[in-house]
Amino acid sequence: MVRRPTEAGYEAAPNIALVKYWGVRDEDLGLPYNSSLSVTLNHLRSRTWVQFDPTLTEDRFLLGRDEQTDGPLRSVVEFLDEVRALGRFETHAFVRSENNFQTASGLASSASGFAALAGAASLAAGLKLSPPALSRLARLGSGSACRSLFGGFVEWRAGTRADGRDCFARPLFPARHWPGLVDLVALVKDAPTKPIRSAVAMQRTVATSPLYAQRLREVPRRIRAMKRAIAVRDAPALFDRTMEECDSFRSVCESTEPTLDYLVPASRRVLAEVRAANEENGTSVAGYTHDAGAHIHVFTTTTHSARLRRRLGAVPGVEKVLVLSPGPGGRPLRRWGR
Ligand code: DP6
């Protein structure tokens, strides 16, 4: 039982997967079929404050200025239930969260949001969790959130245990490992909001895509190749593997019944523009990827980023191009509400 109000804040950034998490082997525990690899981004962030308060009769969740009900509130309550179970208390909480970017815009707000909630709620509950334990907790909110706790290049190992104890993310290289790496995010106009949660969509792929088994066989090799490319900062190798992986992800989505098509025509024009730039340069100067959304992340290096940014910005249907880089991991916020 928490007797006095106890509170804490935490911030975390979205991450973009270079090797995608897609398919769950245990839905209750959120255990994936395959390991995944991501880059945590700078500039974008979610900040969350949690106050456990014995005078509350139910949990409350404020996102920006809006009191949340239904689905968003339910997922926060379910997550708080996990925290209360870990801490063996029942006190309700007031949760306040804000993103410095549009929520559900296809920029992984669930990853940064649940990473920030895991950090804030576990601190407010007085749980002293190790980084793997905090990552396992965040995973219960949203799979990709377990990677957003760490900065730079991050690997989420699928693990093999039935109880999920070996299923958590860990940092591979810090953001400063590769100072010249840039992520140009081409934000497309009229990007549709996600019709269903990725955790649900991916299970349809597992059940129906004829290409899924082959994808699972390829992923470990791709992760090894990607880790080698990152270790020696081999940009063309990283870009080639990133596009190959994104194409594999898109094929399993498109061959799902009913099909999963996350892109809009402008997204496909961005993919074509990146292929054309690589062709013209005779080597890969950039590599595209996308998640379950229409915006396209284009990795490149500082040598090519200004020119490529102009080029992507001129693609019909592209509204804006963000210039991001690998960024820091999650961190506690000192003062309530700051
Ligand atoms: C395509 O972890 O965001 O972005 O559990 O529904 O929140 P939910 O799913 P989530 O799925 C991520 C899917 C992906 C690939 C990835 O980030 O690895």
Side-chain angles (χ1 to χ4, degrees):
M1 178 75 189
V2 175
R3 284 176 216 293
R4 288 175 294 109
T6 53
E7 58 199 39
Y10 203 87
E11 75 173 14
N15 68 78
I16 174 72
L18 299 175
V19 177
K20 315 292 175 188
Y21 145 54
W22 200 253
V24 183
R25 69 182 155 93
D26 183 314
E27 292 186 20
D28 290 337
L29 296 175
L31 306 179
Y33 274 114
N34 67 277
S35 300
S36 56
L37 208 147
S38 62
V39 180
T40 300
L41 300 169
N42 63 358
H43 300 315
L44 309 180
R45 53 155 181 73
S46 299
R47 287 184 165 170
T48 299
W49 293 270
V50 174
Q51 182 177 50
F52 287 106
D53 181 347
T55 66
L56 289 176
T57 52
E58 55 188 23
D59 293 319
R60 291 181 55 198
F61 173 33
L62 214 63
L63 180 57
R65 286 155 183 251
D66 304 324
E67 182 95 35
Q68 302 293 303
T69 54
D70 306 324
L73 175 64
R74 255 196 318 278
S75 45
V76 165
V77 171
E78 279 170 19
F79 189 82
L80 292 170
D81 286 341
E82 300 286 348
V83 175
R84 285 186 278 254
L86 278 176
R88 297 200 183 86
F89 65 91
E90 286 173 2
T91 312
H92 292 292
F94 179 69
V95 175
R96 194 156 70 73
S97 192
E98 59 188 37
N99 298 323
N100 70 348
F101 58 97
Q102 215 190 319
T103 307
S105 60
L107 287 174
S109 55
S110 75
S112 54
F114 277 104
L117 179 61
S122 59
L123 287 173
L127 303 175
K128 295 195 170 54
L129 300 182
S130 64
L134 184 57
S135 177
R136 282 194 297 262
L137 175 63
R139 190 195 74 220
L140 300 174
S142 172
S144 52
C146 78
R147 299 185 309 234
S148 265
L149 291 160
F150 309 105
F153 302 83
V154 180
E155 180 176 25
W156 171 15
R157 292 247 184 106
T160 53
R161 289 175 58 129
D163 66 3
R165 272 198 68 77
D166 57 354
C167 181
F168 54 85
R170 62 183 187 118
L172 289 176
F173 300 97
R176 63 173 185 281
H177 170 71
W178 199 333
L181 191 68
V182 178
D183 176 15
L184 300 174
V185 190
L187 299 176
V188 298
K189 283 182 202 136
D190 308 320
T193 45
K194 263 200 216 180
I196 49 170
R197 275 194 73 161
S198 291
V200 176
M202 60 181 76
Q203 292 310 79
R204 273 207 217 151
T205 299
V206 173
T208 65
S209 168
L211 306 177
Y212 187 68
Q214 176 62 21
R215 166 175 166 74
L216 277 191
R217 282 194 288 276
E218 288 167 7
V219 161
R221 178 187 54 81
R222 217 173 273 144
I223 289 188
R224 282 196 299 277
M226 203 91 97
K227 278 159 83 170
R228 273 197 303 273
I230 297 168
V232 299
R233 301 184 199 88
D234 181 343
L238 177 70
F239 301 155
D240 285 341
R241 295 287 83 76
T242 299
M243 291 187 285
E244 176 189 305
E245 160 63 10
C246 175
D247 294 345
S248 148
F249 165 63
R250 196 169 54 258
S251 327
V252 295
C253 289
E254 287 173 352
S255 58
T256 295
E257 287 282 342
T259 190
L260 297 166
D261 182 4
Y262 293 111
L263 304 187
V264 295
S267 325
R268 293 185 194 277
R269 284 195 282 270
V270 171
L271 304 186
E273 201 64 35
V274 172
R275 288 189 201 111
N278 289 341
E279 208 51 23
E280 287 158 28
N281 280 277
T283 179
S284 292
V285 296
Y288 57 70
T289 192
H290 58 80
D291 278 345
H295 306 306
I296 307 293
H297 291 250
V298 179
F299 281 94
T300 188
T301 52
T302 39
T303 323
H304 301 280
S305 65
R307 206 148 25 103
L308 199 57
R309 183 193 186 186
R310 278 196 299 278
R311 196 165 167 169
L312 298 179
V315 170
V318 170
E319 190 161 41
K320 194 173 166 188
V321 181
L322 305 179
V323 184
L324 307 179
S325 298
R331 63 174 188 113
L333 296 168
R334 283 227 188 92
R335 288 168 54 202
W336 172 257
R338 306 282 146 178

